[in-house]
Amino acid sequence: MKPFPTTFAEVTQPLSELLTDTADKDLLRQLIVKNYEVHLGLTPEFVDAITETARQPSIREYCARDGSERFKNRESAECWLAKGRAVFLLFRRTNGSDDLHLAGYGWAGRAASPHVPGGETTFALRVSETDQGHGLAVPFAKLIISATSALYGAPHIWLETWASNTGAVHIYHKLGFKTVAQKVGQRLKPDGSTVSDTRLYMTQPVDLPK
């Protein structure tokens, strides 16, 4: 196993070239049929695409810090990567073209939380507004989790989300995540104001059903 990346990648790598498990191959084929594929690695050029995606209203509503902090620009993304993050890019391939368009992004990395006993690896994903509603979130998430385990040996994956983000909570439940802690807090809104919400801390069984 290898450590999580801490710098930009020179090129992205298709997960189809990195994963060998039959179930993973099936998930990749399901996406390919819909003209989507998943790559590993963040290059400086794709930071710009993530920044644009992160500023879409539906993503800003629950993940305001993506566009204002993590992926504000290439410099902020480079500082964020230094924590040790594997970045996964969901691409849409235009029919008859080699052009790849960013349809979503996600990441995994070493992190602990006092609200998740034993949690060692954080995980997150976003899907572009243009590509929402096409059944992409679950296979994309499963591939991120599987690749994180296979390539980095990362155990005890956990995540944070807001209770009011019911669509995301539903997807995480489908993936087998269970809420292990809740904390009332203030959610940052896109306009810089805050609103009262409940932060959910979720983890999953070690063996994720394929």
Side-chain angles (χ1 to χ4, degrees):
M1 303 300 176
K2 57 184 180 180
F4 284 106
T6 55
T7 59
F8 285 126
E10 293 185 5
V11 295
T12 66
Q13 296 179 279
L15 281 192
S16 58
E17 299 177 1
L18 300 173
L19 298 180
T20 59
D21 186 86
T22 300
D24 293 333
K25 294 290 188 181
D26 287 342
L27 289 171
L28 289 166
R29 279 192 288 269
Q30 291 174 28
L31 291 176
I32 289 172
V33 168
K34 298 179 180 180
N35 293 318
Y36 291 90
E37 56 191 78
V38 180
H39 289 215
L40 171 65
L42 179 61
T43 65
E45 294 74 21
F46 281 121
V47 172
D48 302 336
I50 289 180
T51 301
E52 182 177 351
T53 302
R55 291 174 178 168
Q56 294 175 352
S58 66
I59 295 178
R60 290 173 61 201
E61 182 65 28
Y62 292 103
C63 314
R65 288 188 172 86
D66 277 14
S68 64
E69 295 179 16
R70 296 183 184 97
F71 306 107
K72 180 179 180 180
N73 50 45
R74 295 186 183 187
E75 290 74 21
S76 61
E78 187 173 28
C79 291
W80 174 78
L81 277 173
K83 298 179 180 180
R85 295 288 182 262
V87 177
F88 299 85
L89 305 176
L90 176 66
F91 289 123
R92 177 182 2 98
R93 186 181 292 277
T94 304
N95 284 327
S97 171
D98 290 333
D99 292 338
L100 295 175
H101 302 274
L102 188 73
Y105 60 95
W107 68 83
R110 300 289 186 191
S113 168
H115 304 291
V116 187
E120 299 179 35
T121 309
T122 188
F123 151 78
L125 82 156
R126 329 284 190 221
V127 176
S128 169
E129 289 181 346
T130 304
D131 302 275
Q132 292 173 10
H134 297 295
L136 302 173
V138 170
F140 184 33
K142 285 185 176 182
L143 286 166
I144 292 174
I145 294 168
S146 184
T148 299
S149 176
L151 301 176
Y152 304 103
H156 307 298
I157 292 177
W158 63 276
L159 60 87
E160 300 177 51
T161 192
W162 293 104
S164 62
N165 191 1
T166 55
V169 173
H170 176 69
I171 288 169
Y172 297 142
H173 284 160
K174 289 181 67 174
L175 292 167
F177 281 87
K178 306 293 184 183
T179 300
V180 295
Q182 302 183 38
K183 182 181 179 182
V184 175
Q186 295 295 309
R187 173 164 57 84
L188 179 65
K189 299 276 288 181
D191 62 3
S193 64
T194 59
V195 61
S196 181
D197 206 337
T198 299
R199 195 68 168 163
L200 303 181
Y201 298 85
M202 309 178 77
T203 188
Q204 63 168 185
V206 174
D207 295 318
L208 176 68
K210 298 290 184 179

